[in-house]
Amino acid sequence: MSLPRMTSQLSRQPLFRPILSSTLLTPSAVLASRPSTIIAKAVFSLSQVRTATKKTGGSTRNGRTSQPKYRGIKAGHGTLVKPGDIIVRQKGSKVHAAHNVGMGKDFTLHSLVHGRVHFHYDIARQRNYVSVDDGSLSSSVQFGAAADLSPQEALAAWLPSEKMEKERLIAALDIERYLQLDGFGRYRYVLETIDEIKKKDEEELEKTAPLRLLNKVRPFNLVDLTRL
């Protein structure tokens, strides 16, 4: 057989011959059939690395759409207010409502009358309060106060600020006794002193109750009895 005829017959044969059921497929037989192609495919599969096909988005800290609440004190101490004016907008009852002040369902404090805002502090409960003086508070307190005090000074003495309450407590403490006690003893001693101060205040209010009820600034109301 001539060389050109053999070449034409080999070119007509398929690259991969069908394997009969009787033939056993062994690794040596596979490598013997097409060794270069199989090794190349194995090396390519081992060296191939799959990369991400989706672009990742960046994160943001400003994705909120809630509106600002504008909390804080809207009317300071001594400010003139009218009914409905907001005094304090807050989250929780950090400041409690006292005389002539109402509280909304969101803890917003608003004025109920025309008057001036007065912030004060209760050291026994350790709470901040706000009241609105429409003229009746300061004038009624002046009846039971010293004659040389103005209505505003008498009101400040009756409804003191946090600084005044703490200064009053320090003045009532016996420093030598306080330093001799341990931590728990000092705590109890301070509480006992606060109770004594509050008892004195209640006694003074009871003594001056008839004078304050006879105040002629405005007509007497039954709600005045709650201020005694």
Side-chain angles (χ1 to χ4, degrees):
M1 185 180 295
S2 62
L3 183 59
R5 189 175 181 181
M6 292 177 61
T7 305
S8 61
Q9 290 181 358
L10 290 174
S11 62
R12 296 172 185 173
Q13 295 179 359
L15 294 177
F16 295 96
R17 297 179 180 180
I19 301 175
L20 301 177
S21 60
S22 60
T23 307
L24 181 62
L25 184 62
T26 60
S28 60
V30 175
L31 292 175
S33 61
R34 298 287 290 181
S36 59
T37 305
I38 295 176
I39 293 174
K41 289 183 177 180
V43 172
F44 179 75
S45 63
L46 292 175
S47 62
Q48 186 180 9
V49 178
R50 179 175 176 82
T51 58
T53 58
K54 184 176 181 180
K55 184 178 180 181
T56 58
S59 61
T60 178
R61 295 184 180 180
N62 195 22
R64 297 171 298 277
T65 58
S66 59
Q67 296 298 323
K69 305 305 178 184
Y70 301 105
R71 297 190 179 100
I73 298 175
K74 307 303 177 181
H77 185 85
T79 305
L80 285 172
V81 292
K82 60 181 182 295
D85 285 355
I86 295 176
I87 303 173
V88 180
R89 190 178 293 277
Q90 58 187 346
K91 182 178 181 181
S93 55
K94 297 180 180 179
V95 181
H96 295 263
H99 308 292
N100 301 326
V101 176
M103 178 181 288
K105 63 180 181 179
D106 59 346
F107 303 99
T108 298
L109 303 181
H110 58 275
S111 175
L112 300 177
V113 295
H114 287 86
R116 291 187 179 274
V117 178
H118 185 84
F119 286 90
H120 49 98
Y121 184 75
D122 187 354
I123 195 171
R125 298 182 178 180
Q126 296 184 1
R127 288 182 177 181
N128 291 295
Y129 291 90
V130 60
S131 301
V132 175
D133 181 21
D134 57 349
S136 60
L137 292 177
S138 56
S139 58
S140 62
V141 171
Q142 191 182 18
F143 275 89
D148 56 344
L149 293 180
S150 63
Q152 290 75 19
E153 293 175 347
L155 180 61
W158 182 42
L159 301 175
S161 62
E162 183 176 358
K163 181 180 179 181
M164 295 176 61
E165 283 283 82
K166 291 182 177 180
E167 290 177 352
R168 186 181 178 190
L169 175 61
I170 294 173
L173 290 174
D174 187 359
I175 303 300
E176 295 181 357
R177 179 185 173 186
Y178 179 82
L179 295 176
Q180 293 175 357
L181 300 173
D182 56 354
F184 183 72
R186 292 177 180 179
Y187 176 73
R188 292 189 60 183
Y189 176 55
V190 171
L191 292 181
E192 292 174 358
T193 307
I194 292 174
D195 292 339
E196 294 176 359
I197 293 174
K198 289 304 174 183
K199 287 180 180 179
K200 291 181 181 179
D201 293 342
E202 292 176 358
E203 292 176 357
E204 292 179 359
L205 288 175
E206 290 178 359
K207 292 179 181 179
T208 59
L211 296 175
R212 288 185 285 111
L213 289 176
L214 293 175
N215 182 19
K216 300 300 182 180
V217 175
R218 61 182 178 85
F220 173 75
N221 296 322
L222 291 177
V223 72
D224 295 336
L225 296 175
T226 63
R227 296 173 180 167
L228 298 178

